[in-house]
Amino acid sequence: MKSIYELQPIDISGRHARTGFDYQDHIGAGFCLDMLLREDLEEIWFETHDDITLLWRDQPEVRVEFVQVKSNNLPSRWSVKSITHRDSGPGSSLLEKSLFQYRCTETSTFRIVTAYDVHADLELLKLGFSGRPCINDSEELKALVTKIKRRLGGDVVVPESGVGVDFWVDNCRWDKRPDDVLQVENHNKLLSEQVFKSKRVNLVPEHRDELYMKLLFLVKEASSKNLTAFPGCYKITRSYLNDWFDRTLSVLLNYSRSDNPLRDKMQDAGLPAPLVLTAEDLHWRYREARLDPDYYGGPTAFKRLEDEVMSLLPRLQSYQYSLSSSFDSLQFHKFCIDEVYKVIEKDRLREFSLPEHIAVGFFYQVTNRCLMRFTVEN
């Protein structure tokens, strides 16, 4: 057998079919945060041998953990039946796809990360390796192996390593995660607080959210970039991630110290000087109008406008970090302004007849408060 560092992946089709992979990307971002907090996780590989491949340093050797991520909308919990179901003949079940990744010389384990919980027959797999018995000491695990083999029509053996179902059951951990993307994201943001604490930094909430969005973009990029053009793009190492994290923190902290974040962010994005001056003027006009209680419906109108623009931000930010290399910062800025113009046309605002420049002025206020930026990182 070859080392994991020399082994060619069985299937990399996941790199080309990324639609609907948000859940997996957030799981990947969580592993990156784990890597910032512990020294035994050395590398994370995306969409190569498995959905995610973790390389652990178990002194003095490397242990490879093959991770499958499933957020399927199942009619029931995961069971022996669902993990052995074959979509297209032998080798196509979840269990077989996971098991057949073990073709390397390094010690290997498996992990199945799911949004849905497991049936009682798989419950033991949720225990950590140190907290559960091995097959030889557990009648329940022996019964599980027998049930799996019966479903598969016998044992399934990996030609390169010679291991089969028994080995998979003994070395697989089932990792139940939150049910949806939002809950996973919130869990990761709590985890990021531990990272900030370990690095002794304090960011405003808006910058914490932006840093997480950047991390998510890093994961998406590692999962999807062309391996022919960028051979090493699939891996994120602990040393690289620490450097990236520190550089990103430095940029965000500099924005916090600026006396004119709006101007700095637009200049950093390479937007033309006349546009920067116009943005500053519209920002000033919005602030002046906001202080006038009789202006176009007063506080009620402004509150509704501000709520609508703020609800638009997550979509704009997500779009920003998923743009292709053909989209530049000027185009992204125009896209944002066009979306803000649409806010004025909403039914709950139409009665106030607020002018467009007030909506855009508030959007620039949001940018000045460091909730938005225009740099497109291709």
Side-chain angles (χ1 to χ4, degrees):
M1 293 195 296
K2 294 182 179 180
S3 167
I4 190 69
Y5 300 99
E6 303 167 346
L7 198 62
Q8 290 298 311
I10 296 174
D11 178 21
I12 58 170
S13 59
R15 301 189 69 82
H16 312 299
R18 297 292 298 159
T19 303
F21 278 55
D22 285 350
Y23 189 90
Q24 181 175 314
D25 290 336
H26 282 280
I27 294 296
F31 282 129
C32 286
L33 293 168
D34 284 335
M35 189 159 64
L36 289 170
L37 289 168
R38 50 191 303 171
E39 294 188 356
D40 54 345
L41 181 53
E42 291 194 332
E43 297 186 22
I44 305 174
W45 298 0
F46 296 92
E47 292 290 4
T48 50
H49 297 284
D50 220 329
D51 293 339
I52 300 171
T53 306
L54 307 176
L55 273 63
W56 300 89
R57 175 61 65 179
D58 290 348
Q59 294 294 348
E61 300 177 344
V62 169
R63 173 172 61 90
V64 181
E65 185 173 19
F66 298 106
V67 183
Q68 286 256 323
V69 182
K70 300 296 178 185
S71 59
N72 309 51
N73 186 14
L74 299 176
S76 60
R77 297 185 173 201
W78 287 95
S79 63
V80 169
K81 181 179 179 180
S82 54
I83 68 172
T84 56
H85 172 73
R86 288 169 169 166
D87 297 319
S88 55
S92 63
S93 70
L94 183 150
L95 186 151
E96 291 168 292
K97 288 179 180 178
S98 175
L99 173 63
F100 272 73
Q101 298 301 338
Y102 184 21
R103 301 170 296 126
C104 57
T105 56
E106 288 80 9
T107 301
S108 297
T109 55
F110 314 93
R111 187 188 305 211
I112 310 296
V113 176
T114 60
Y116 277 56
D117 212 336
V118 297
H119 189 269
D121 54 5
L122 298 177
E123 191 71 31
L124 264 181
L125 299 186
K126 290 170 62 178
L127 298 176
F129 297 127
S130 61
R132 77 186 201 212
C134 64
I135 287 179
N136 292 335
D137 299 324
S138 171
E139 294 302 319
E140 286 183 76
L141 288 178
K142 288 178 183 177
L144 174 59
V145 169
T146 300
K147 192 173 182 180
I148 290 172
K149 288 180 179 179
R150 188 181 304 123
R151 283 279 308 173
L152 294 173
D155 200 4
V156 178
V157 178
V158 182
E160 293 88 345
S161 58
V163 301
V165 172
D166 302 60
F167 183 86
W168 187 87
V169 169
D170 237 356
N171 293 277
C172 179
R173 175 189 168 199
W174 201 285
D175 189 355
K176 165 67 176 76
R177 296 295 183 97
D179 297 342
D180 56 44
V181 169
L182 182 59
Q183 292 182 61
V184 177
E185 181 178 347
N186 289 338
H187 169 80
N188 286 349
K189 287 181 176 179
L190 286 174
L191 194 59
S192 68
E193 294 298 316
Q194 297 180 37
V195 178
F196 297 139
K197 184 178 180 180
S198 70
K199 292 183 175 289
R200 300 190 176 186
V201 295
N202 187 25
L203 288 177
V204 296
E206 295 83 4
H207 283 168
R208 294 175 186 221
D209 290 344
E210 182 170 354
L211 193 147
Y212 182 74
M213 290 296 294
K214 284 176 172 289
L215 177 61
L216 192 63
F217 173 75
L218 193 69
V219 170
K220 289 178 182 290
E221 188 178 50
S223 302
S224 60
K225 286 186 75 172
N226 187 293
L227 290 176
T228 302
F230 306 96
C233 66
Y234 62 89
K235 67 171 68 174
I236 297 177
T237 66
R238 182 157 48 86
S239 60
Y240 172 81
L241 187 61
N242 269 298
D243 289 344
W244 174 89
F245 200 88
D246 291 341
R247 289 196 311 271
T248 306
L249 278 175
S250 178
V251 170
L252 294 175
L253 288 170
N254 284 337
Y255 280 136
S256 299
R257 301 185 189 104
S258 171
D259 61 350
N260 193 336
L262 172 61
R263 180 184 61 209
D264 291 347
K265 289 191 173 189
M266 296 187 75
Q267 289 177 344
D268 287 349
L271 299 177
L275 184 56
V276 177
L277 291 173
T278 300
E280 290 182 303
D281 181 65
L282 291 174
H283 178 214
W284 179 83
R285 289 170 182 264
Y286 161 77
R287 293 176 64 187
E288 183 182 49
R290 189 67 170 89
L291 296 173
D292 183 354
D294 299 322
Y295 189 91
Y296 285 95
T300 301
F302 278 98
K303 182 65 169 64
R304 289 191 190 178
L305 169 68
E306 291 160 1
D307 287 347
E308 291 293 337
V309 173
M310 290 299 294
S311 68
L312 180 64
L313 291 189
R315 186 161 68 87
L316 294 180
Q317 291 164 340
S318 297
Y319 186 66
Q320 177 184 16
Y321 290 107
S322 62
L323 292 174
S324 68
S325 57
S326 61
F327 214 88
D328 61 25
S329 298
L330 186 59
Q331 290 171 304
F332 176 63
H333 175 270
K334 180 183 182 300
F335 174 80
C336 291
I337 300 304
D338 289 343
E339 292 299 304
V340 172
Y341 283 155
K342 294 176 186 177
V343 167
I344 293 293
E345 300 302 318
K346 292 198 172 185
D347 290 340
R348 67 193 302 260
L349 286 171
R350 194 172 293 146
E351 64 178 284
F352 299 109
S353 301
L354 284 166
E356 289 179 340
H357 76 267
I358 293 299
V360 176
F362 175 66
F363 180 70
Y364 286 134
Q365 163 80 349
V366 166
T367 306
N368 193 63
R369 287 165 48 197
C370 299
L371 276 75
M372 195 66 209
R373 54 197 287 277
F374 304 110
T375 302
V376 175
E377 299 181 31
N378 296 321

